[in-house]
């Protein structure tokens, strides 16, 4: 997922048929009898009927799901479960006393447009379903600044009955909330995908300093720089409006009374109390970069975190103690992956080592953030065109740019730090990607997206939206004559992306990474190339992924290369790929697939549709595809919807 401020929709999915007992009249599998005892056949495999490619205008405007799911049992019998999609609500609808997706400020008051109207985000992203005292709560991200999350209470039919924004005032707000996951202790983790809130733009000592425009009052930011749209400035302006902080000083690192760029770009946690209220934390020891999401391993202390964008990393956090409940103050050790390539075939294969960045607690790092630091307090910044590597400076490539840096320790230490140890903690947790690259870790991953753990194979699946830029062999940066400084990843370009498999050892430590499901670019003259840039019978730009069990890995797309973004079911045992859903043209699939069983036995599994009709799709020649549908869409067409896939039997999938 990326920096988009677009119209979107959310589909919450679910309501399933209860998996019936053996020998029942409602379609349950038949029991087998051996030696006078009765035993139930076990599930051997699960498969979905494929959804045909969209063939008409009506198809391109539709949400389509697989018509049926087939379960094969150990006795050779099969059972087919019809699937359907049903709409619950549209984004912006009033649900109870709340309005789903409405922007709000730090005091939970509506943020108004210049004309006094309420404002809404149509960019729903991650979902978690948290069940407390037999009540299901849907936690939903919105991928847009200023950050916002909603908690929506569902009844036993999966209908939304109450919605309200989640209060982040205690942690100074949140921003651009992207993907997320459910923890083993029944809380929600989400990524603050801050993209351009990189401190290099805030520091006048940086070669990338950005001078954001203000209104005539000299203190209200407009979201532009030099009269042009600018993402960093947009983020600052959004945070200012959210926090009501008009003391932000662009001559002092864009620090203000309430705002500092170093307070964003981490993993957040949301817990639901027995009375339905929420509690939040920001886990600073996950490190500051552009986190897509974090997932927790079964040991309840090892986490893997992806980093979205150009020239990014892959991270592992090992907590000091396993967690069993919501805890606002984690402590642990953060690592960044260093990969050694052993093959360039089928998306590549790599050995993984983990470079230690540092050890700290959330409270320790929060104390450093409160000092209103700038990047030049943490690093000495040299000349990126002539980096003096003989004097401990190193040229690094991160977040799409080159920097020449070294930690500001010893006689160079800033007065904001009491010791060199504090400087290195700040480097490790507030400038994680820069410091990791400085230490030799790999900062060449391009648009690292979804992560999910497969307990059946003890592997982690990792989605890379596009094999490009830093992942190419000797990638030459557009603005520099020099090539990337490290060149750890040496692959051929594949605009369609890939899903990788990371092998874990018995301690949940990642040891190898290799391509698993690879997209297939098309060239002019290939079948489908007039409408598609990536083969529609394979994945394109994988993003959200989920493992259901029974060998089924779900892969959702965020692509401009398929007119309709698709969901795929990849059978990790049979190595087969089946198209099981698609959404309206111009939309992205997000929130794949939060799930739970309601107290009455109904099964819920979510899927979000973000910004329908908003993004242009292109074919193999880069030409727009059916842009007329996008341009002619009405405001009503562009609204998000809430819906569910009906028919998956409860108890079928174990994860």
């Amino acid at each position: 997922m990326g920096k988009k401020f677009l119209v979107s929709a959310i589909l919450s999915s679910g309501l399933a048929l209860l998996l019936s007992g053996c020998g029942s009249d409602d379609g349950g599998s038949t029991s087998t009898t051996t030696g006078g005892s009765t035993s139930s056949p076990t599930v051997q495999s699960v498969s979905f009927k494929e959804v045909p490619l969209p063939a008409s205008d009506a198809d391109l405007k539709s949400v389509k799901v697989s018509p049926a799911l087939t379960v094969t049992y150990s006795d050779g019998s099969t059972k087919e479960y019809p699937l359907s999609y049903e709409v619950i609500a549209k984004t912006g609808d009033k649900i109870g006393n709340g309005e789903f997706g409405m922007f709000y400020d730090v005091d939970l008051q509506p943020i108004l447009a210049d004309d006094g109207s309420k404002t809404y985000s149509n960019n729903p992203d991650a979902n978690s379903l948290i069940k407390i005292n037999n009540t299901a709560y849907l936690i939903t991200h919105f991928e847009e600044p200023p950050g916002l999350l909603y908690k929506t209470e569902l009844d036993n039919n999966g209908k939304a009955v109450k919605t309200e924004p989640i209060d982040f005032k205690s942690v100074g707000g949140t921003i651009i909330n992207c993907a997320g996951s459910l923890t083993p202790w029944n809380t929600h983790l989400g990524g603050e995908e801050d993209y351009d809130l990189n401190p290099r733009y805030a520091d006048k000592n940086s070669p990338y300093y950005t001078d954001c425009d203000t209104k005539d009052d000299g203190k209200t930011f407009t979201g532009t720089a030099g009269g042009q749209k600018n993402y960093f400035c947009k983020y600052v302006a959004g945070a200012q409006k959210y926090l009501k902080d008009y003391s932000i000083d662009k001559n002092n690192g864009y620090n203000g009374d309430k705002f500092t760029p170093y307070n964003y770009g981490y993993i957040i946690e949301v817990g639901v109390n027995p009375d339905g209220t929420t509690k939040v934390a920001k886990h600073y020891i996950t490190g500051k970069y552009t986190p897509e999401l974090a997932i927790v391993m079964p040991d309840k202390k090892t986490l893997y975190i992806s980093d979205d964008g150009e020239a990014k990393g892959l991270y592992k956090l090992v907590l000091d103690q396993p967690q069993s409940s919501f805890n606002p103050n984690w402590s642990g050790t953060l690592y960044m992956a260093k990969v050694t390539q052993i093959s360039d075939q089928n998306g590549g294969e790599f050995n993984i080592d983990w470079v230690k960045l540092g050890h700290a607690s959330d409270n320790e790092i929060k104390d450093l953030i409160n000092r209103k630091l700038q990047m030049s307090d943490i690093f000495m910044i040299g000349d990126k065109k002539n980096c003096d590597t003989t004097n401990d400076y190193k040229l690094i490539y991160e977040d799409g740019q080159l920097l020449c840096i070294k930690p500001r320790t010893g006689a160079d230490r800033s007065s904001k730090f009491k010791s060199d140890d504090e400087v290195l903690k700040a480097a490790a947790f507030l400038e994680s990607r820069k410091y990791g690259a400085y230490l030799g870790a790999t900062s060449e991953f391009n648009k690292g997206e979804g992560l999910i753990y497969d307990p059946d194979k003890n592997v982690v699946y990792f989605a890379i939206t596009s094999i490009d830029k830093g992942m190419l062999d000797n990638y030459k940066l557009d603005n520099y004559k020099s090539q990337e400084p490290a060149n750890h990843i040496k692959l051929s370009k594949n605009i369609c992306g890939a899903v990788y498999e990371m092998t874990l050892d018995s301690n949940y430590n990642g040891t190898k990474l290799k391509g698993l499901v690879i997209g297939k670019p098309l060239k002019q003259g290939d079948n489908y190339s007039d409408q598609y840039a990536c083969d529609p019978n394979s994945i394109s730009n994988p993003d959200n992924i989920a493992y259901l069990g029974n060998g089924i890995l779900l892969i959702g797309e965020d692509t401009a290369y398929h007119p309709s973004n698709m969901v795929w079911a990849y059978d990790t045992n049979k190595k087969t790929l089946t198209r099981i859903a698609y959404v309206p043209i111009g939309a992205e699939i997000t929130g794949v697939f939060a799930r739970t069983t309601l107290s009455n036995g109904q099964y819920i599994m979510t899927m979000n549709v973000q910004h329908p009709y908003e993004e242009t799709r292109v074919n193999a020649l880069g030409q727009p595809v059916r842009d007329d549908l996008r341009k002619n869409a009405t405001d009503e067409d562009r609204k998000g919807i809430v819906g569910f896939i009906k028919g998956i039997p409860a108890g079928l999938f174990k994860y």
Side-chain angles (χ1 to χ4, degrees):
M1 283 146 264
K3 43 195 179 189
K4 305 178 183 116
F5 313 107
L6 306 166
V7 179
S8 63
I10 185 172
L11 315 166
S12 133
S13 114
L15 295 192
L17 300 173
L18 181 63
L19 185 59
S20 306
C22 298
S24 65
D25 294 332
D26 56 1
S29 58
T30 304
S31 65
T32 59
T33 304
T34 304
S37 63
T38 300
S39 62
S40 299
T42 57
V43 174
Q44 290 293 96
S45 65
V46 176
S47 62
F48 292 84
K49 282 192 175 181
E50 186 155 79
V51 175
L53 289 172
S56 66
D57 286 6
D59 290 341
L60 289 168
K61 296 178 180 181
S62 299
V63 177
K64 292 286 181 71
V65 299
S66 171
L69 177 150
T70 300
V71 181
T72 301
Y73 296 93
S74 56
D75 63 358
S77 64
T78 62
K79 173 63 183 176
E80 186 173 280
Y81 295 89
L83 304 178
S84 62
Y85 171 76
E86 297 186 19
V87 173
I88 296 175
K90 292 189 175 183
T91 302
D93 282 358
K94 188 172 183 180
I95 303 171
N97 293 322
E99 296 179 62
F100 188 69
M102 184 178 70
F103 280 114
Y104 57 92
D105 65 23
V106 69
D107 297 317
L108 300 183
Q109 297 303 305
I111 293 177
L112 303 179
D114 290 341
D115 63 4
S117 61
K118 295 177 181 177
T119 56
Y120 300 86
S121 173
N122 291 314
N123 287 287
D125 208 289
N127 292 325
S128 282
L129 279 160
I130 297 176
K131 192 159 61 175
I132 303 290
N133 294 334
N134 290 324
T135 299
Y137 299 95
L138 180 66
I139 307 298
T140 303
H141 283 192
F142 288 83
E143 190 188 6
E144 193 167 352
L148 72 161
L149 285 81
Y150 270 76
K151 180 200 69 182
T152 304
E153 182 180 335
L154 306 180
D155 67 13
N156 278 335
N157 293 313
K159 180 181 178 181
V161 296
K162 184 188 300 183
T163 194
E164 60 185 359
I166 296 174
D167 187 353
F168 277 85
K169 185 175 184 177
S170 63
V171 294
T174 183
I175 196 167
I176 313 175
N177 305 102
C178 195
S181 66
L182 186 69
T183 69
W185 51 92
N186 201 34
T187 63
H188 168 79
L189 294 182
E192 292 185 318
E193 192 189 55
D194 68 352
Y195 260 94
D196 287 297
L197 204 61
N198 190 320
R200 72 186 181 199
Y201 299 118
D203 193 327
K204 279 200 162 183
N205 295 296
S206 163
Y208 304 106
Y209 172 74
T210 300
D211 187 357
C212 295
D213 300 332
T214 61
K215 294 183 178 180
D216 291 341
D217 61 10
K219 60 183 181 180
T220 303
F221 290 97
T222 62
T224 62
Q228 303 297 315
K229 291 181 180 179
N230 181 278
Y231 281 110
F232 170 75
C233 299
K234 186 177 181 70
Y235 296 174
V236 172
Q240 179 180 63
K241 185 174 286 190
Y242 171 83
L243 294 169
K244 303 176 184 176
D245 186 353
Y246 295 94
S247 66
I248 298 172
D249 185 357
K250 64 181 179 180
N251 296 308
N252 185 28
Y254 284 85
N255 288 301
D257 293 339
K258 299 176 183 177
F259 176 77
T260 173
Y262 280 115
N263 195 45
Y264 309 93
Y266 306 94
I267 296 298
I268 59 170
E269 183 173 13
V270 178
V272 180
N273 297 310
D275 64 358
T277 58
T278 54
K279 50 196 170 186
V280 302
K282 194 170 287 196
H283 291 301
Y284 300 104
I285 63 165
T286 54
K288 175 176 170 57
Y289 29 94
T290 313
E292 176 82 3
L293 84 163
I295 56 171
V296 183
M297 297 296 98
D299 64 358
K300 300 183 181 181
K301 68 175 187 177
T302 302
L303 292 83
Y304 287 98
I305 312 162
S306 57
D307 186 9
D308 194 2
E310 177 189 344
K312 303 300 177 82
L314 176 64
Y315 305 86
K316 179 180 70 171
L317 175 67
V318 181
L319 301 177
D320 291 342
Q321 299 294 332
Q323 302 298 298
S324 59
S325 61
F326 178 88
N327 175 8
N329 185 33
W330 287 355
S331 61
T333 304
L334 183 63
Y335 302 85
M336 185 171 167
K338 179 180 181 180
V339 299
T340 302
Q341 187 166 317
I342 56 179
S343 171
D344 63 359
Q345 300 300 301
N346 194 44
E349 186 172 354
F350 309 85
N351 291 327
I352 305 175
D353 294 301
W354 294 97
V355 176
K356 180 180 177 180
L357 303 186
H359 176 277
S361 69
D362 288 328
N363 286 345
E364 283 182 281
I365 304 308
K366 178 58 174 171
D367 174 67
L368 296 177
I369 292 170
N370 289 342
R371 300 180 194 181
K372 305 296 174 66
L373 302 170
Q374 299 188 57
M375 185 177 76
S376 57
D377 289 316
I378 301 170
F379 295 116
M380 302 289 289
I381 304 172
D383 182 357
K384 64 182 185 292
K385 295 182 179 179
N386 187 26
C387 192
D388 182 10
T389 56
T390 64
N391 192 26
D392 293 330
Y393 283 94
K394 292 183 182 178
L395 186 68
I396 65 164
Y397 167 48
E398 68 94 29
D399 201 13
Q401 300 287 356
L402 293 174
L403 271 173
C404 177
I405 59 170
K406 69 174 180 178
R408 191 174 169 183
T409 54
D412 297 318
R413 190 171 71 232
S414 165
S415 61
K416 292 184 180 180
F417 294 107
K418 302 171 185 175
S419 66
D420 285 354
D421 181 63
E422 283 191 340
V423 176
L424 297 181
K425 282 185 189 293
F429 296 99
L430 302 183
E431 291 284 8
S432 308
R433 188 172 49 235
K434 294 181 181 70
Y435 188 49
Y438 181 87
L439 294 178
T442 299
S443 60
E444 297 171 9
F445 290 102
N446 188 66
K447 290 197 64 61
E449 304 272 7
L451 292 166
I452 198 67
Y453 176 65
D454 175 352
D456 296 327
K457 294 182 172 60
N458 192 38
V459 299
V460 167
Y461 302 115
F462 177 31
I464 291 286
T465 290
S466 178
I467 299 173
D468 200 358
K469 298 185 178 179
M471 297 183 72
L472 306 183
D473 189 12
N474 281 319
Y475 174 62
K476 184 177 179 180
L477 280 74
D478 292 340
N479 298 328
Y480 303 98
K481 295 180 180 179
S482 59
Q483 295 170 330
E484 55 185 328
N487 199 32
H488 293 166
I489 303 176
K490 313 172 188 68
L491 300 176
S492 298
K493 185 173 182 175
N494 184 334
I495 63 170
C496 307
V499 176
Y500 288 79
E501 179 182 270
M502 182 166 63
T503 304
L504 306 181
D505 64 19
S506 59
N507 293 317
Y508 303 105
N509 178 60
T511 59
K512 289 184 180 293
L513 189 69
K514 66 177 180 179
L516 181 69
V517 187
I518 315 298
K520 300 175 182 178
L522 298 176
K523 61 182 183 298
Q524 185 180 8
D526 288 344
N527 195 22
Y528 301 112
S529 62
D530 60 329
Q531 296 292 310
Y532 297 85
C534 294
D535 191 328
N537 293 309
S538 186
I539 63 171
S540 179
N541 303 137
D543 193 326
N544 279 217
I545 55 178
Y547 184 71
L548 301 182
N550 303 115
I552 301 299
L553 174 67
L554 299 179
I555 304 171
E557 296 181 340
D558 174 11
T559 183
Y561 303 138
H562 287 166
S564 296
N565 277 215
M566 304 172 186
V567 178
W568 302 86
Y570 179 71
D571 189 316
T572 61
N573 299 318
K574 298 178 181 179
K575 311 299 182 186
T576 56
L577 192 64
T578 304
R579 184 189 314 107
I580 68 167
Y582 63 74
V583 296
I585 192 168
E588 171 189 340
I589 292 167
T590 60
V592 182
F593 279 101
R595 50 205 179 273
T596 193
T597 302
L598 301 175
S599 58
N600 66 355
Q602 295 176 319
Y603 184 76
I604 289 178
M605 186 169 72
T606 70
M607 181 180 76
N608 297 353
V609 178
Q610 193 180 95
H611 58 71
Y613 301 99
E614 283 298 320
E615 289 188 337
T616 297
R617 304 317 193 194
V618 296
N619 63 17
L621 290 176
Q623 300 167 330
V625 174
R626 295 309 310 271
D627 235 19
D628 57 315
L629 294 179
R630 187 182 65 82
K631 292 176 180 178
N632 293 330
T634 66
D635 290 343
E636 186 67 22
D637 292 333
R638 298 174 192 273
K639 286 185 178 180
I641 55 177
V642 178
F644 58 83
I645 297 170
K646 184 176 183 178
I648 298 174
L652 175 63
F653 294 117
K654 47 186 179 175
Y655 305 119

